[in-house]
Amino acid sequence: MRAIDNFRLTGEVVWLTWDSFRYQVIVKSFIADYYSPWWISYQIVCMIAHQDGAADLQTLALSALVSADFAEAVAAASGTSIQLGSLQAALSSTNALTAGTSDRAQALATVASSRVAIGLQITAQSAVLALPFGASSAVSAYGSALQSTVASAGALAAAVNTNAYVGRIGSRLSA
């Protein structure tokens, strides 16, 4: 009885096992009712400190934030040639949100390679927009040149926006 009360006093994480159940717990309260040296009824309240398969609040919050950022990245990239399928697969792996795992390292590597590909899109669209507008074109070609410039500006904005969301996913995973 003293050992159990000491667990309560110290807040030590201990194993609680019965039947087929096994949990790491902290003894929250302990009440002993002494009848005799060989009969002491008691009441114990425990808090589960760790349970395999249960996500902690930090992981749940990270999952929600990463999912929201990924959804925004997909929305920003829609209508462009930016591909985010490999990033989605990496983020969907079992331990992508668990620090120190190979799944997380792979997710971070995929974020980096996605940002490189998006960076190439930004560079390409920036180069198109840097060209002088219609300097050597006939007036009749201005309409298509203008449409091309507007499309490039839209693609550039989408790529920059997508890059920001993918970058934020990487920052969240790194933190």
Side-chain angles (χ1 to χ4, degrees):
M1 292 292 128
R2 287 185 185 148
I4 293 174
D5 197 37
N6 280 337
F7 291 144
R8 178 189 62 83
L9 293 171
T10 63
E12 182 180 347
V13 177
V14 295
W15 284 103
L16 174 64
T17 306
W18 79 97
D19 195 31
S20 64
F21 302 98
R22 181 178 163 120
Y23 300 100
Q24 287 184 302
V25 299
I26 298 171
V27 177
K28 185 174 179 181
S29 70
F30 174 72
I31 301 170
D33 193 6
Y34 182 86
Y35 288 109
S36 66
W38 55 86
W39 185 263
I40 303 173
S41 63
Y42 64 91
Q43 202 175 48
I44 188 168
V45 176
C46 299
M47 275 186 5
I48 296 175
H50 175 73
Q51 180 179 355
D52 289 336
D56 60 8
L57 289 178
Q58 185 177 5
T59 303
L60 291 174
L62 177 62
S63 175
L65 292 170
V66 167
S67 295
D69 284 342
F70 184 76
E72 290 294 333
V74 168
S78 69
T80 69
S81 61
I82 296 171
Q83 299 295 317
L84 297 173
S86 60
L87 180 58
Q88 181 178 20
L91 293 173
S92 299
S93 62
T94 306
N95 292 314
L97 303 179
T98 305
T101 62
S102 61
D103 285 348
R104 188 166 196 160
Q106 180 61 39
L108 284 167
T110 306
V111 164
S113 66
S114 296
R115 293 196 73 200
V116 167
I118 295 168
L120 293 173
Q121 286 280 358
I122 291 171
T123 301
Q125 297 306 323
S126 296
V128 169
L129 290 174
L131 294 173
F133 181 73
S136 63
S137 300
V139 175
S140 61
Y142 278 7
S144 63
L146 182 60
Q147 285 179 341
S148 175
T149 301
V150 169
S152 291
L156 175 61
V160 168
N161 203 10
T162 303
N163 193 42
Y165 285 114
V166 172
R168 192 159 67 179
I169 291 169
S171 296
R172 292 187 195 285
L173 290 176
S174 296

